[in-house]
Amino acid sequence: MLNGQEITVLGAGIAGLAVATALAQRGAQVRVLEQADAIREVGAGLQVTPNGVAVLRALGLEGALQAAAPLARAVQLRDFRRGDPVFRLDLTRPDRPYHLTHRADLINILRQGASEAGARIELGQHVTGVDPEAGQMLVNGHTETAPLIIGAGGLHSPTRAALNPGGQPFFTGQVAWRSTIPWDDPATPPEATIHMGPGRHLVTYPLRGGALLNVVAVEERDAWAAEGWHHRDDPQAPWRAFVDFCPEVRDILYRAEEVYLWGLFRHPVARNWGQGRAAILGDAAHPTLPFLAQGANMALEDAWVLADCLDTHATTEAAFATYQARRRPRAARVIDAASRNARNYHLHPGPTRAAAHLALKLGTRLAPGLAARRFDWLYGHDVTRH
């Protein structure tokens, strides 16, 4: 159904480039509009979990990911005060590859995939409004019409706003600092480490063979912070917030020279994912808190399913309905699980925290396979086999 179909994708991030690749590989004539004047190396680290790798494999891009990002060995949870191990999740299953990568590297992989499939990427195209029924866009102040529009512009996508007016976000009472620190230590194991403390946690893992260390530091607080991860902050702010953590954490944060702070907001999952001649995916449909490492992976899943639905249904209306039915319940479940993770990481000292940590330690020691199977619903989900 997609052969020769003209489709305009708004946004050249992970969601936009992934759906452009999936659509172009099915024969669509895809045009990607990106407001930036260049696709720069921005962002920080992210985790491509097995469910996301399955999509890259189906797109023919897994080899490029393997070349750019090492396989992760484990996720480990540690206590904040002394750094004592609490829980370890082994990630070495050969049938479920799990990668630690820089966002810019994944963007480059997807951009090359989209270009090779025939998609055209146009930079400097600022879209400020979308009319889903008419298929119209306001691009750099001029009205353009497209047979089909895919909104992949993230939280503030004009396509999301057009399809879902209203729906105000709320501040979660949590902020996060992001930083990538020059590390130059190839001996650093390819593992994600989470130091858990009262009202705070810190995530670290190496990137690019140990050349960089990715750092995300999350703190509960009343003071509001702006949304979005482009806001610079005092490099010593996270160090002060984590001053009672173990020396390893303090040393890492002390080395951060450039940090970005963003407020974490909960946005409702979109009620309407497609209507008329427009649809949304990724953060435009379901903004996700970063406590389960699923933002990029959900975008990849969305891209595959949306392209598949458009290719296998006779009408756009039927394709959009099936797409939403397949994706919305899973996105809601992932978002709920991510929110629970934040609460579990931030337990305060006391009987509840002691019991939770003891259960995790016993699970690691006595039944490591059982602990891994708790994530089967997430990592074992393969949208390409639907």
Side-chain angles (χ1 to χ4, degrees), residues 3 105 198 246:
N3 194 36
D105 295 338
C246 61

Side-chain angles (χ1 to χ4, degrees), residues 2 13-27 48 51-65 106 109-117 281 296-297 299-308 382-385:
L2 281 175
I14 291 169
L17 291 172
V19 77
T21 304
L23 293 167
Q25 287 183 352
R26 288 167 169 80
V48 185
N51 48 307
V53 175
V55 175
L56 294 175
R57 181 183 304 122
L59 295 175
L61 302 176
E62 185 182 12
L65 178 67
L106 181 58
I109 290 168
L110 292 168
R111 178 175 57 177
Q112 183 172 350
S115 297
E116 290 178 351
L281 79 165
N297 298 287
L300 292 170
E301 289 188 6
D302 288 350
W304 180 271
V305 175
L306 178 54
D308 181 60
D382 184 349
V383 295
T384 71
R385 295 182 178 179

